[in-house]
Amino acid sequence: RISQHEASGVWSWSRQSPELQTECQNGKEAWHGCWCQTGGLSISQSAQLLGFSRTTISRVYKEWCEKGKTSSMRQSCGRKCLVDARGQRRMGRLIQADGKTTLTEITTRYNRGMQQSIWEATTRTTLRRMGYNSR
């Protein structure tokens, strides 16, 4: 249960809300927004409640105070995947068509209809991610 203290304008939650606590503990992005609502608790209490280290809580709190950031920008880092969910489905159909297909053949067939071709290593990584081995 989330409530706002009338005098201070600080958001807090009661410990009687297991749904909110579960939501906060599901991911690093979600817990930050919930942690900001636990105003009035010390860093140690917040760390114990949310299950993160005091260092992490302190770092996030400092970033929130200085920059007003409520989420990490980490999700926009790194190279974008060449084989997205649609490409994985396509690759799965190629395998289902012929179960004895080699890695080289899968890569060649996949690259035929695509603008940007992929390497065999990318195909191997994608197949392993999809649960296929020994191609």
Side-chain angles (χ1 to χ4, degrees):
R1 187 171 154 249
I2 301 174
S3 62
Q4 185 177 18
H5 299 294
E6 293 175 16
S8 63
V10 175
W11 288 91
S12 65
W13 75 10
S14 70
R15 293 174 192 252
Q16 300 167 353
S17 174
E19 299 88 19
L20 185 58
Q21 289 177 8
T22 303
E23 180 183 328
C24 291
Q25 292 169 352
N26 279 342
K28 290 183 180 179
E29 299 301 321
W31 74 263
H32 181 79
C34 296
W35 180 77
C36 289
Q37 296 172 352
T38 62
L41 293 179
S42 70
I43 289 176
S44 296
Q45 290 170 330
S46 298
Q48 186 177 17
L49 179 69
L50 298 173
F52 290 93
S53 69
R54 290 192 320 258
T55 306
T56 302
I57 299 292
S58 299
R59 182 184 51 78
V60 172
Y61 178 71
K62 179 181 175 186
E63 210 168 291
W64 178 67
C65 288
E66 291 177 358
K67 301 176 186 175
K69 288 176 68 175
T70 57
S71 65
S72 170
M73 299 304 289
R74 188 77 185 135
Q75 67 270 15
S76 61
C77 293
R79 182 178 176 162
K80 303 298 179 214
C81 290
L82 292 175
V83 182
D84 56 357
R86 184 173 174 234
Q88 285 185 6
R89 289 193 303 272
R90 183 168 182 258
M91 203 173 285
R93 286 192 299 271
L94 290 173
I95 294 168
Q96 287 176 353
D98 183 12
K100 300 288 184 181
T101 310
T102 64
L103 184 68
T104 308
E105 291 171 353
I106 294 170
T107 306
T108 305
R109 289 179 187 170
Y110 183 85
N111 286 336
R112 274 189 206 145
M114 304 302 283
Q115 290 180 336
Q116 188 172 11
S117 61
I118 60 172
W119 290 40
E120 287 184 16
T122 307
T123 305
R124 185 181 304 112
T125 304
T126 304
L127 290 175
R128 286 193 179 138
R129 197 175 299 141
M130 291 169 62
Y132 293 102
N133 294 314
S134 304
R135 289 285 164 181

